[in-house]
Amino acid sequence: MTDPLNFYGVTLTSRLLVGTSQYPSPAILAEALEASKAEVVTVSLRREAGGSRAGESFWGLIRDLGLRVLPNTAGCRSVKEAVTTAHMARELFDTTWIKLEVIGDDDLLAPDPFGLVEAARILCDDGFDVFPYMTEDVTLADRLVDAGCRVLMPWGAPIGSGRGLNNIFGLRALRARFRDIPLVIDAGLGAPSQAAQAFELGYDAVLLNTAIARAGDPAAMARAFALACEAGRAAYKALPIEPRDMAEPSTPVLGRAFT
């Protein structure tokens, strides 16, 4: 990307954030991350890792690639669990960044808006830089910003569904309301074209995992998403034409022969 992105005072050149689960092997993960040109990766922290330091080789791989880690409270279903996991992540990874998930529905893996706001307020007050996984609800976004969040991460569709951007109207409304807050589409993207669409709506970044990790060729798909992000962002900055209901001729009529 030619124009930088800023999260909590950290400047990034890539607008693609990538998850690190579900890959067939560590080698394929490393290849995909390099192909994506991502600078930030999300990692899930389970409670078992806090005491045993399990997965140390995995963290080593991430560090060797020189990537910034965004720990994730994935799977947490209560405020207490999410806050405890966030504190463990800060100790383990030595970062104040946390991708906050408080899940409220097992089928859709939809966030619990009430628990999300409560946990966000606790963590922001405790010095965390919170990246909340949320729905595209404007009122929820207002509450999260009031709690101290300076980045918002609305879903495009349920996690791992590959359905793309389910609610274009809601996402447009969110972008219009929060012009000065970085907005990241988190979850639901399945194809590079959907990532490009997110950028064309004015979103600042996308975060995805399954679409790359479960692809037939993860590295090739990561490269495709990286190109789509660049194309979508460039298209947004170029100011696309507005849709019309009627045709408008692109060929001049002046000078055309008439009979």
Side-chain angles (χ1 to χ4, degrees):
M1 299 286 178
T2 55
D3 57 324
L5 174 65
N6 190 285
F7 288 150
Y8 291 106
V10 175
T11 300
L12 305 168
T13 57
S14 172
R15 293 174 180 265
L16 175 60
L17 289 68
V18 179
T20 54
S21 66
Q22 305 185 61
Y23 287 84
S25 71
I28 292 175
L29 167 62
E31 185 181 3
L33 291 178
E34 290 184 309
S36 73
K37 300 180 182 179
E39 296 170 86
V40 176
V41 294
T42 62
V43 295
S44 298
L45 179 68
R46 307 305 300 172
R47 283 181 171 173
E48 304 85 60
S52 65
R53 301 288 179 171
E56 196 62 40
S57 61
F58 171 77
W59 313 136
L61 181 151
I62 299 300
R63 287 193 297 267
D64 290 345
L65 290 172
L67 301 174
R68 177 176 288 272
V69 172
L70 175 58
N72 190 353
T73 65
C76 293
R77 285 169 167 75
S78 71
V79 172
K80 181 178 180 180
E81 186 179 16
V83 170
T84 299
T85 302
H87 280 91
M88 290 169 54
R90 182 165 64 180
E91 180 180 349
L92 182 61
F93 296 108
D94 191 26
T95 179
T96 56
W97 282 18
I98 191 73
K99 180 176 177 243
L100 179 62
E101 291 187 21
V102 182
I103 299 300
D105 180 83
D106 289 338
D107 292 327
L108 297 178
L109 297 180
D112 169 5
F114 308 102
L116 182 65
V117 171
E118 183 180 350
R121 191 176 303 280
I122 292 170
L123 293 173
C124 288
D125 289 346
D126 196 25
F128 282 87
D129 300 317
V130 177
F131 296 69
Y133 162 64
M134 55 176 286
T135 59
E136 69 283 7
D137 183 273
V138 172
T139 301
L140 173 57
D142 270 325
R143 300 293 185 272
L144 290 167
V145 171
D146 288 344
C149 297
R150 295 296 173 260
V151 177
L152 299 174
M153 303 184 78
W155 67 354
I159 294 171
S161 68
R163 296 182 61 86
L165 307 181
N166 274 353
N167 183 0
I168 297 296
F169 173 82
L171 293 172
R172 285 187 187 277
L174 200 62
R175 178 72 283 178
R177 174 71 66 88
F178 299 96
R179 296 183 179 275
D180 299 324
I181 297 287
L183 299 181
V184 183
I185 292 294
D186 175 18
L189 300 183
S193 58
Q194 297 164 353
Q197 184 184 25
F199 283 100
E200 290 170 5
L201 291 177
Y203 277 70
D204 299 287
V206 299
L207 192 162
L208 51 98
N209 187 164
T210 307
I212 293 176
R214 300 285 293 275
D217 185 337
M221 186 59 75
R223 192 172 299 109
F225 268 103
L227 292 171
C229 292
E230 291 191 26
R233 177 68 179 175
Y236 172 73
K237 293 182 66 179
L239 302 178
I241 63 171
E242 292 294 327
R244 296 170 53 91
D245 292 328
M246 304 296 290
E248 180 179 7
S250 56
T251 302
V253 176
L254 184 66
R256 189 181 70 179
F258 289 90
T259 57

